[in-house]
Amino acid sequence: MSENQREASINDQIRLCNERLTTEGWSLVQVFRDAALSGASELRPGYRALLEGAREAAFDVVVTEALDRLSRDQEDVAALFKLLRFAGIPIVTLAEGEITELHVGLKGTMNALFLRDLADKTRRGLRGRVEAGRSAGGRAFGHTVVRELDARGEPVRGKRAIDVTEAAVVRRIFANFAAGDSPLAIAKALNAARVPGRTGARGAIPPSAGTRCAAPVSCATSSMSADWSGTACIT
């Protein structure tokens, strides 16, 4: 499981697990999958469904390609193993066979080290991008993505250019805030003027709008029903 995992990779894992089921003479009850979600988090629908199924004794054994397919977090792996063992449900992986406490300890430690190393490399890459004058995040309102290829034909990531139309809205927001308008009032005015946000959507402001922050609102887009909610703040 990773945020960049391909659908074909998951299908390959399912196919290999099905072959193991056939070899053992076991019947498939349910497939739990979390495509393109980080294995470092337990807040995954497939993982949560697996836990619920174990509590309800919906299956007799868990088969997976490897222990890190369940979770890369050492604490979560240990907790899952403890829960399944209490329920009398063994974990069987294609690589190690039936999982024991020894696997949980060793593999959990290795996975934790992998995650720490991955985080360090990710931060290093993002810092290098920032120091090169490029963006390390998504597209902020007021900017547009510059799509270029380097000498090797690879996409150049993090380059941004000012979007003239959106930049005018950003200046308007800061001017209104400096004049004493609240984020909620600014959001209402933008909606009333039918000014599209980054997603291009327009809608009613939700009840939670108007949250105050320590900096002026320059990118007040929201994943809620409204496009301008007055809740998101960046300096």
Side-chain angles (χ1 to χ4, degrees):
M1 298 162 295
S2 72
E3 294 176 356
N4 297 318
Q5 191 170 28
R6 297 181 300 110
E7 182 69 21
S9 173
I10 294 182
N11 292 335
D12 290 341
Q13 294 175 43
I14 294 174
R15 175 176 52 81
L16 292 174
C17 288
N18 277 327
E19 292 175 358
R20 181 61 180 268
L21 294 180
T22 301
T23 300
E24 299 290 345
W26 298 335
S27 299
L28 177 64
V29 175
Q30 188 173 352
V31 175
F32 302 95
R33 55 193 293 163
D34 288 303
L37 294 175
S38 173
S41 171
E42 67 170 3
L43 301 178
R44 294 172 278 129
Y47 182 80
R48 306 298 292 181
L50 173 65
L51 296 178
E52 188 63 29
R55 296 187 182 99
E56 297 176 353
F59 42 80
D60 300 316
V61 61
V62 173
V63 179
T64 181
E65 182 187 39
L67 196 58
D68 62 4
R69 299 299 86 190
L70 297 173
S71 178
R72 289 190 183 276
D73 185 274
Q74 191 172 14
E75 182 180 1
D76 291 343
V77 169
L80 176 63
F81 177 78
K82 182 178 180 180
L83 172 65
L84 293 177
R85 185 176 61 175
F86 179 80
I89 301 173
I91 302 174
V92 175
T93 71
L94 306 183
E96 296 91 8
E98 185 170 343
I99 297 300
T100 65
E101 290 87 349
L102 183 62
H103 294 102
V104 172
L106 292 178
K107 285 287 187 177
T109 301
M110 292 172 62
N111 291 334
L113 293 174
F114 169 81
L115 285 177
R116 187 173 67 180
D117 181 62
L118 179 62
D120 290 340
K121 290 179 178 177
T122 300
R123 283 192 291 267
R124 182 187 66 196
L126 293 177
R127 178 177 177 178
R129 191 179 295 180
V130 171
E131 290 181 350
R134 300 197 298 269
S135 172
R139 186 183 79 82
F141 188 84
H143 296 80
T144 184
V145 177
V146 177
R147 305 188 185 280
E148 293 181 354
L149 299 178
D150 60 20
R152 298 174 299 176
E154 297 292 330
V156 178
R157 305 185 186 281
K159 295 195 71 173
R160 300 290 186 268
I162 298 296
D163 185 301
V164 177
T165 302
E166 292 184 355
V169 178
V170 173
R171 287 191 292 269
R172 170 182 173 176
I173 292 172
F174 272 89
N176 290 344
F177 189 86
D181 292 350
S182 69
L184 180 58
I186 296 173
K188 284 183 176 180
L190 292 171
N191 281 337
R194 307 292 290 173
V195 177
R198 188 180 64 179
T199 63
R202 304 181 183 90
I205 298 174
S208 61
T211 302
R212 298 295 298 189
C213 59
V217 177
S218 64
C219 184
T221 56
S222 171
S223 60
M224 296 179 288
S225 60
D227 201 42
W228 294 101
S229 67
T231 61
C233 310
I234 64 171
T235 55

